[in-house]
Amino acid sequence: MDWVAPVSTALGAVIGVGSTLLADRLSWRRDRAGQSLDARRQLYGDYTAALSRMRTALNECAQTNIPARERPQRVRELFLAPGAYEIRHQLAIVAPQDVVEAARTAFVVLRDTRDLFLRSPEIDSDGYTELENRFDTALAELRDVMRRDLGTADSIARG
């Protein structure tokens, strides 16, 4: 009977330490998941903002009278300036595949718009209108998959 007290004390200590370690581990996982979510939220915002800046720059370029000789270089500079290429590489590392694919789709539409401007700088062409519509659709889809990934799709749809 002399061994019951030390064993129950040791067992209590093991249970106490074990539960503390488990609680710390769960807390660490929760914190890490929250940090990952915050990082993706920031990256998603940065990427959609970069796409918006690219679109605006291309539109302004199309409405500006740039000499034909300077146009290709200027259009390429405006296309690269917002940094969407770099952010897309970051997305490929941290975002789920559906977000990466939607991000690429929206980017490709803007790249096609750039290529159209390099061939023909007329903003009122049917080709440009079609690309604008494709970009609007691609951007809406991109935002939807981003919201689903962040867990905000339901709250936005309701309110």
Side-chain angles (χ1 to χ4, degrees):
M1 295 286 180
D2 293 338
W3 57 271
V4 172
V7 168
S8 60
T9 301
L11 184 59
V14 167
I15 291 172
V17 169
S19 63
T20 300
L21 290 174
L22 180 62
D24 285 349
R25 174 72 176 164
L26 293 174
S27 176
W28 175 80
R29 272 189 172 169
R30 221 178 5 261
D31 290 347
R32 189 161 160 93
Q35 290 170 351
S36 176
L37 186 68
D38 290 344
R40 287 195 321 275
R41 182 179 294 115
Q42 180 65 45
L43 196 57
Y44 293 173
D46 291 348
Y47 187 67
T48 55
L51 292 177
S52 178
R53 287 191 303 272
M54 287 170 70
R55 181 185 202 176
T56 300
L58 289 172
N59 289 340
E60 288 174 359
C61 185
Q63 295 174 11
T64 305
N65 189 13
I66 300 172
R69 193 180 75 209
E70 297 173 18
R71 177 171 288 284
Q73 179 65 28
R74 183 71 181 133
V75 168
R76 286 185 181 97
E77 286 173 1
L78 290 170
F79 186 76
L80 294 174
Y85 270 113
E86 295 84 355
I87 300 171
R88 260 186 61 219
H89 290 291
Q90 294 174 30
L91 281 174
I93 294 169
V94 301
Q97 191 60 35
D98 59 341
V99 172
V100 173
E101 289 170 6
R104 183 183 186 287
T105 298
F107 182 84
V108 166
V109 175
L110 285 178
R111 189 178 63 203
D112 292 346
T113 304
R114 176 204 64 192
D115 293 346
L116 176 69
F117 286 157
L118 290 173
R119 290 189 311 272
S120 171
E122 296 160 14
I123 198 168
D124 57 353
S125 71
D126 290 340
Y128 177 77
T129 302
E130 181 214 341
L131 287 168
E132 281 287 288
N133 292 335
R134 280 180 45 206
F135 181 73
D136 289 340
T137 301
L139 188 59
E141 174 63 23
L142 175 59
R143 288 179 178 148
D144 285 346
V145 297
M146 287 175 168
R147 286 181 185 124
R148 281 195 300 270
D149 178 48
L150 297 173
T152 59
D154 291 335
S155 62
I156 290 175
R158 281 184 260 147

